[in-house]
Amino acid sequence: GKGLALQLIPLSQSPDYSFNAIPLVESFTDPRLLASGGALGIFFWWIWKRGEGNPMFSLLGLWYLVAILPTANLLAQVGTIFGERFLFFPSVAFCLSAGLAGAWAVKRAPGLAIPVLTLWAVGLSVRTIQYTGAWKDDLTLFSAAVETVPNATRAHHQLGAALLRAGDPGGALPPLRMALRIAPENRYALRTLAQARTRIRARYLPRDSASNPPEPPPDDPEILHTLGQFSRETGDLSAAEEYWEASLAVDSLHAP
């Protein structure tokens, strides 16, 4: 159902659909399950009915079903909940079906079908251009991903990792914490979070060698809060208090 909706109107595309981007269906009365089943039922019923006059429709319906079944987690678990790449091969049948359906509609009601199909094609073109911009680099890609699928643990983890690679360990901390809040067992996010904290500590806390003084910390509440945590862990409560007061001076609503 998600794949069919994305092919019809691709407004919520994402490079990642890890847990919990698509909340699990836990009941047969779930509206998403009912809507998906109904839409797929109508789709295949229409393919079958049209197949009586044009066997190409039956072939395309079978093509779509056979092509999407191996990655649908019905026959076997494939290790990924969902991915737009899984739609590439089935989408050939979908696009051919759309073309045949459009031709059928133009013959029956050209005054309505032609404007509707034109608007749909233009809309798809505009959306293609918009989504292409998200793939500029990892930062733009995973920033877009967390907006589209805010409950996906890997999207937040990858955004944090991209920020860390870009030299922004402070900015990396919130998405990494969110990744762990969604999935506490995400060991990759836990490892990246530790790397970000280590980098902050190495860059801004005093070192043993006086000849290599640390950089002054920036006015970043995440970095200042983390430095306060390190100071508390080493027993320097006075320094911890100073860092936390500085963090609150920058952002009085900083939750941690």
Side-chain angles (χ1 to χ4, degrees), residues 173-192:
L173 296 180
L176 291 172
R177 284 201 300 264
M178 177 59 72
L180 290 167
R181 192 173 302 137
I182 296 168
E185 70 281 3
N186 187 341
R187 63 183 184 277
Y188 303 108
L190 190 63
R191 189 181 307 159
T192 308

Side-chain angles (χ1 to χ4, degrees), residues 171-215:
L173 296 180
L176 291 172
R177 284 201 300 264
M178 177 59 72
L180 290 167
R181 192 173 302 137
I182 296 168
E185 70 281 3
N186 187 341
R187 63 183 184 277
Y188 303 108
L190 190 63
R191 189 181 307 159
T192 308
L193 179 63
Q195 292 172 353
R197 286 169 52 84
T198 299
R199 188 170 300 183
I200 290 172
R201 182 173 191 169
R203 183 180 298 179
Y204 301 114
L205 277 184
R207 303 179 181 88
D208 295 335
S209 175
S211 61
N212 195 15
E215 300 177 26

Side-chain angles (χ1 to χ4, degrees), residues 94-216:
F94 178 87
C95 291
L96 289 172
S97 300
L100 290 171
W104 175 83
V106 168
K107 287 181 180 179
R108 299 300 187 280
L112 176 63
I114 291 176
V116 170
L117 292 172
T118 300
L119 287 174
W120 187 34
V122 170
L124 292 175
S125 301
V126 170
R127 178 56 186 156
T128 298
I129 295 170
Q130 290 176 336
Y131 192 48
T132 298
W135 289 80
K136 177 183 177 182
D137 53 41
D138 285 351
L139 275 177
T140 58
L141 181 62
F142 289 105
S143 294
V146 298
E147 291 182 9
T148 303
V149 284
N151 292 320
T153 180
R154 191 165 54 202
H156 287 279
H157 169 223
Q158 292 296 338
L159 177 58
L163 287 165
L164 184 60
R165 288 193 298 270
D168 185 6
L173 296 180
L176 291 172
R177 284 201 300 264
M178 177 59 72
L180 290 167
R181 192 173 302 137
I182 296 168
E185 70 281 3
N186 187 341
R187 63 183 184 277
Y188 303 108
L190 190 63
R191 189 181 307 159
T192 308
L193 179 63
Q195 292 172 353
R197 286 169 52 84
T198 299
R199 188 170 300 183
I200 290 172
R201 182 173 191 169
R203 183 180 298 179
Y204 301 114
L205 277 184
R207 303 179 181 88
D208 295 335
S209 175
S211 61
N212 195 15
E215 300 177 26

